Amino acid sequence: MIRCIRWCAAFCALLFAALLANVGRVQVWEAAALDAHPANKRTAIDRYARPRGDILVDGVAVTGSRDSGQLLRYERTYRDGPLYAPVTGFSSQTYGTSFVERAEDAVLSGTDPGLSAFPLWYELSRGRPAGGHAVTTVRAAVQRAAFEGLAGKRGAVAAVEPSSGRILALVSSPSYDPGVLSGTGSAVREAWARLNADPARPMLNRALRETYPPGSTFKIVTAAAALDSGVVTDVDAPTRTPDPYPLPGTRTLLPNAATGCEDASMAEAVQWSCNTVMARIGVQVGLRRMVEAARRFGFNDDGLRVPSWVSRSNFDTDMSPDQLALSAIGQFNTTATPLQMALVAAAVANGGEIARPWLVERTTQDDGSPVRSGQRRSLGRAMTPATALRLQQLMVKVVEEGTGRNAAVPGAVVGGKTGTAQHGVGNAGTPYAWFIGWAKAEDAAVPAVALAVVVEDAAARRGDISGNSAAAPIARTVLQAALSTAR
């Protein structure tokens, strides 16, 4: 009898060990796969069982959470959704997340280990702390000035603080309300289909994700390359450039929209936006040095994050001389995001150095205790300080006496560059109107803001569209707002 009992006990112990082994297999080895299984609803239920942390602008939450009473309990809400959509992105129970909602999802959803002093406790208890907050670098007044300036026209504005890289405004127009994507059901699916089918592409973040031919705003890059390489040593010296200019190796003549460009100096070419002079200078700089200059400004870099990814701005690395001439004036295959062109202006304003652009100032716990803080980092030097100082002077002259007068701000020093970029088959599309620039108060030591404005559908006759008429007035209102809120 005792022997049978022993055999029975051993068999029960074996079964118990097998049970423990199976529990360990399910809880440890297969946990990740089971959590990710499409049929497992518990992960989603747990994710939306608590309010999500907020995204803040100027210390005020521009997001919230609403108790839907459904299985997926809390849905995301947005204050001034279309205004801040390029910053926040969306958080949808059906379609996931985007932009800051995606980049800081772990903090906002309460799963980031940094939210608790005892993260292992939450791991063991299968609980989690309340969602934390993401504090952005955006200034509400600057964001609104850019949004209202575009007034629904297709285009974008990106504004940064040159010395630190903080993004002060990020606007894309037309925009959309991310709140319509927050929940589940047919209404959300219909909104998603409607937004994606809209030919105006309201969900496209034009400031970060769309690339445009930068047109004459790229001449600042060409001018920097010419000064740094020594191709131009005196910006006021005549360049002996004909008008029109025969593109090298071709019979094609490059004209000017401006008058008085024949034999103009580089200073005059920047002031009045002479295509011929800057194209010829680009050829003289040469392909290798132009490619290197563009790279220093951030072109051809596909690794920029703010923290969301930014589309790669392009400057071709293999071109014939005629193609190089067109690329030097922001045409041919040269393309740039509005943020990239804002960084070009910021490099000039910041003495030649480019500070990495960033959008999240810090993340915090629910009670405001810090989790992580953003910090200034350099992307490198785009030009020498002497070149930057010379370009500052040229850009100021553009606004005071040249093609960018509509960007002038009373009581401030403003430097800028206008651009009108041709595009489409045979350049038949409505030209894009550009303005890039920077501003500082008259008594300030350094500029407080640099920006880029692009307008896709300027409301004017095709021949009358220009950066000064369509983009510079928007820039002026944004610069004024930035100067009034400068810290």
Side-chain angles (χ1 to χ4, degrees):
M1 174 69 76
I2 294 176
R3 184 180 180 187
C4 291
I5 292 173
R6 287 175 177 170
W7 276 106
C8 184
F11 183 67
C12 289
L14 180 64
L15 291 178
F16 185 69
L19 179 63
L20 289 177
N22 187 59
V23 169
R25 178 182 64 84
V26 172
Q27 294 291 334
V28 179
W29 300 109
E30 297 185 4
L34 292 171
D35 280 344
H37 197 284
N40 181 17
K41 296 182 178 179
R42 294 182 65 180
T43 301
I45 292 171
D46 182 61
R47 174 182 175 85
Y48 298 108
R50 302 168 185 80
R52 188 171 172 84
D54 287 320
I55 299 171
L56 280 64
V57 174
D58 279 346
V60 178
V62 297
T63 60
S65 296
R66 181 182 71 87
D67 189 347
S68 68
Q70 305 297 315
L71 188 62
L72 304 182
R73 184 171 174 183
Y74 284 95
E75 296 177 357
R76 196 56 145 168
T77 61
Y78 295 88
R79 181 175 65 86
D80 290 325
L83 173 63
Y84 292 110
V87 176
T88 63
F90 60 79
S91 177
S92 171
Q93 295 170 337
T94 305
Y95 298 107
T97 55
S98 66
F99 299 109
V100 171
E101 292 277 27
R102 175 186 289 269
E104 300 296 343
D105 182 67
V107 169
L108 297 170
S109 64
T111 60
D112 191 297
L115 291 172
S116 172
F118 307 101
L120 185 60
W121 166 254
Y122 286 103
E123 195 67 29
L124 294 174
S125 66
R126 292 290 181 176
R128 68 173 189 229
H133 305 309
V135 181
T136 71
T137 59
V138 171
R139 295 288 170 261
V142 184
Q143 183 81 1
R144 187 169 293 279
F147 185 78
E148 293 178 353
L150 282 169
K153 293 188 287 290
R154 287 196 301 274
V157 177
V160 301
E161 185 178 66
S163 60
S164 69
R166 289 183 175 89
I167 295 176
L168 305 179
L170 207 62
V171 170
S172 178
S173 178
S175 189
Y176 73 104
D177 183 0
V180 301
L181 304 176
S182 291
T184 59
S186 59
V188 171
R189 291 191 296 271
E190 289 169 3
W192 178 265
R194 182 179 68 255
L195 290 169
N196 281 283
D198 191 330
R201 300 187 296 169
M203 291 182 68
L204 172 65
N205 190 331
R206 289 171 163 86
L208 299 181
R209 301 282 170 84
E210 183 67 298
T211 57
Y212 304 87
S216 292
T217 59
F218 190 82
K219 292 172 182 174
I220 297 301
V221 177
T222 302
L227 289 168
D228 274 352
S229 66
V231 167
V232 174
T233 56
D234 182 357
V235 297
D236 297 311
T239 58
R240 291 181 284 186
T241 305
D243 183 8
Y245 168 61
L247 293 177
T250 75
R251 296 181 179 179
T252 303
L253 297 177
L254 179 66
N256 287 299
T259 58
C261 288
E262 185 171 1
D263 197 29
S265 66
M266 192 176 79
E268 292 169 327
V270 172
Q271 181 181 352
W272 300 108
S273 207
C274 296
N275 290 334
T276 52
V277 173
M278 298 309 297
R280 183 171 182 267
I281 286 175
V283 173
Q284 291 174 328
V285 171
L287 178 61
R288 181 184 62 81
R289 290 186 295 193
M290 280 297 299
V291 169
E292 179 60 23
R295 183 198 62 78
R296 290 196 301 268
F297 274 94
F299 285 79
N300 299 336
D301 177 8
D302 55 8
L304 184 61
R305 303 289 185 272
V306 294
S308 305
W309 63 270
V310 181
S311 291
R312 178 181 185 269
S313 297
N314 180 73
F315 188 82
D316 277 2
T317 59
D318 184 12
M319 291 182 280
S320 60
D322 59 309
Q323 293 168 340
L324 177 58
L326 294 175
S327 295
I329 60 171
Q331 295 288 169
F332 189 53
N333 289 336
T334 304
T335 57
T337 62
L339 178 62
Q340 172 59 62
M341 296 313 297
L343 295 182
V344 169
V348 176
N350 196 40
E353 184 200 13
I354 301 180
R356 176 186 63 88
W358 45 301
L359 189 56
V360 178
E361 183 80 42
R362 62 185 180 277
T363 53
T364 72
Q365 298 178 20
D366 181 54
D367 63 1
S369 302
V371 176
R372 281 183 295 276
S373 295
Q375 57 183 336
R376 184 192 186 280
R377 290 212 317 256
S378 175
L379 290 180
R381 181 162 290 282
M383 71 197 94
T384 65
T387 293
L389 179 60
R390 200 69 186 94
L391 289 180
Q392 286 180 19
Q393 296 166 347
L394 297 185
M395 292 178 75
V396 168
K397 203 166 185 180
V398 168
V399 175
E400 292 183 348
E401 303 175 19
T403 60
R405 297 185 183 188
N406 283 338
V409 176
V413 178
V414 179
K417 182 70 189 79
T418 57
T420 306
Q422 309 293 333
H423 70 101
V425 178
N427 290 334
T430 301
Y432 298 139
W434 278 92
F435 183 88
I436 66 171
W438 49 267
K440 67 174 183 176
E442 285 183 324
D443 58 349
V446 296
V449 58
L451 55 64
V453 178
V454 62
V455 180
E456 293 183 29
D457 54 347
R461 290 190 302 112
R462 190 178 191 278
D464 294 336
I465 294 174
S466 70
N468 187 52
S469 63
I474 299 171
R476 180 180 64 243
T477 62
V478 177
L479 295 173
Q480 287 176 318
L483 291 173
S484 66
T485 61
R487 293 182 295 183

